[in-house]
Amino acid sequence: MGDEGDLAADKHVRYIVTVEKKKDSFESLVMEHIRLNGAYWGLTTLDLLHKLQAVDAAEVIDWIMSCYDPESGGFGGNVGHDPHVLYTLSAVQVLCLFDRLDVLDVDKVADYVAGLQNEDGSFSGDIWGEVDTRFSYIALCTLSLLHCLHKIDVQKAVDFIVSCKNLDGGFGAMPGGESHAGQIFCCVGALAITGSLHHIDRDLLGWWLCERQCRDGGLNGRPEKLADVCYSWWVLSSLIMIDRVHWIDKEKLTKFILNCQDIENGGISDRPDNAVDIYHTYFGVAGLSLMEYPGVKPMDPAYALPLDVVNRIFLRK
């Protein structure tokens, strides 16, 4: 794997563009059911590296729309798969990257998401009803990007998220659930999108988050776990939203991420010397973006999209 040199941006671009082509590779096999998420990770990484033009936009948008279920208004993870909010957000985010929300029946998609809100303000991921604060974030993020937050009870949504806050300042998947960096990002992001960050004890949560930095410079998701590149995104974005990012050592984290690169073939892995994948390539580049790494576009920590894309969506209305 890479030594602490620079970001091998061109290699990563080539890796992302070829991953989509290798339909018979092991990676495409394990990614089959979440291909829409993979498209979001890969394409957002390309955009962060100023290389979105490396793919055929019309082809991507056609494929995205082939995952749409016009009956429900939601998107599945691949053609013919059942709709779920997770893939619906990925579809909306990718369309935002290409500035093509016009291909959507926005009302229909927004109604699908809004229809998954429960009486207590929480959200289910799909018609089967699993509840998780991840789905609250996904729903609020999707509806906000579509300018459709008015379709749900935002206050109830916020109250449910606040009910999942723990004594350590963090958040769990449900009330009483263990604090975990991934869930914390979802809850902080949802509160940021709804203008409700005053519900967070910034010092308490900031302390819990900055304690995630390990000796090797990387970040973990909860106490006693190994560092993993993907937490560069979950933890950093949360710290930025609560204004405590200066509490971690950015230089050591940057070195950890760069150390997880495959310098020869492109891609980033979860930790040094492991196999690369599209998921960690995205989170590694996104983490570097949040630390203002040269040559990488800045990212919006709440919407998980490049800042220029988010500004285009909200400044146009």
Side-chain angles (χ1 to χ4, degrees):
M1 290 287 163
D3 57 278
E4 291 91 74
D6 295 321
L7 181 66
D10 293 342
K11 292 274 171 60
H12 299 325
V13 169
R14 208 168 64 219
Y15 166 71
I16 291 163
V17 173
T18 51
V19 143
E20 270 301 291
K21 303 275 185 286
K22 295 186 209 140
K23 289 289 182 287
D24 53 352
S25 69
F26 175 69
E27 182 159 14
S28 69
L29 184 74
V30 294
M31 289 295 288
E32 160 76 7
H33 65 297
I34 50 168
R35 241 183 103 216
L36 235 173
N37 294 44
Y40 157 71
W41 296 324
L43 294 165
T44 306
T45 309
L46 290 179
D47 198 18
L48 290 172
L49 298 173
H50 305 273
K51 286 287 193 302
L52 193 59
Q53 69 280 5
V55 296
D56 181 335
E59 209 180 294
V60 173
I61 288 155
D62 279 351
W63 179 76
I64 296 246
M65 293 313 292
S66 69
C67 298
Y68 178 61
D69 173 39
E71 212 175 304
S72 65
F75 284 81
N78 210 331
V79 184
H81 291 207
D82 288 343
H84 194 285
V85 282
L86 198 54
Y87 311 124
T88 304
L89 173 59
S90 289
V92 167
Q93 286 170 318
V94 171
L95 293 172
C96 288
L97 288 176
F98 291 102
D99 198 14
R100 287 304 308 274
L101 287 176
D102 59 282
V103 301
L104 285 183
D105 180 342
V106 169
D107 265 330
K108 184 86 175 140
V109 175
D111 286 341
Y112 166 72
V113 176
L116 292 166
Q117 187 171 32
N118 301 306
E119 198 39 51
D120 63 357
S122 68
F123 282 84
S124 302
D126 59 16
I127 54 168
W128 305 111
E130 183 198 353
V131 170
D132 187 315
T133 45
R134 274 189 320 159
F135 305 146
S136 297
Y137 164 75
I138 288 166
L140 289 162
C141 188
T142 307
L143 292 170
S144 182
L145 291 169
L146 297 176
H147 303 284
C148 285
L149 279 174
H150 58 273
K151 288 183 182 274
I152 57 163
D153 189 328
V154 174
Q155 191 51 55
K156 268 190 165 180
V158 168
D159 292 343
F160 176 76
I161 292 164
V162 173
S163 76
C164 298
K165 187 163 67 168
N166 292 320
L167 292 172
D168 58 16
F171 293 83
M174 286 188 213
E178 180 195 8
S179 293
H180 181 278
Q183 303 291 158
I184 288 170
F185 161 77
C186 289
C187 294
V188 174
L191 294 175
I193 286 167
T194 55
S196 317
L197 285 171
H198 55 277
H199 289 291
I200 292 174
D201 183 332
R202 292 173 186 230
D203 285 346
L204 187 61
L205 178 57
W207 177 249
W208 190 94
L209 288 166
C210 74
E211 287 225 292
R212 304 280 60 78
Q213 191 156 31
C214 305
R215 211 169 273 161
D216 57 14
L219 301 168
N220 64 20
R222 46 179 198 226
E224 309 301 329
K225 297 285 183 189
L226 287 172
D228 182 320
V229 160
C230 70
Y231 292 111
S232 313
W233 167 262
W234 307 118
V235 174
L236 266 184
S237 53
S238 301
L239 283 167
I240 289 170
M241 288 186 276
I242 63 171
D243 204 24
R244 296 293 181 274
V245 74
H246 51 285
W247 286 6
I248 63 157
D249 187 331
K250 288 190 193 177
E251 204 178 320
K252 277 178 77 172
L253 178 57
T254 300
K255 277 189 168 166
F256 176 81
I257 296 172
L258 293 175
N259 218 1
C260 294
Q261 298 181 101
D262 181 335
I263 296 289
E264 276 154 48
N265 304 306
I268 298 175
S269 57
D270 56 349
R271 43 191 78 97
D273 301 320
N274 284 358
V276 303
D277 59 54
I278 194 91
Y279 174 83
H280 290 93
T281 304
Y282 161 66
F283 284 112
V285 173
L288 293 172
S289 164
L290 292 176
M291 294 187 287
E292 298 166 350
Y293 192 88
V296 183
K297 274 191 186 183
M299 244 185 137
D300 185 287
Y303 289 99
L305 284 168
L307 203 51
D308 59 341
V309 173
V310 174
N311 288 342
R312 190 169 66 203
I313 289 163
F314 293 111
L315 299 177
R316 186 179 288 162
K317 270 289 188 198

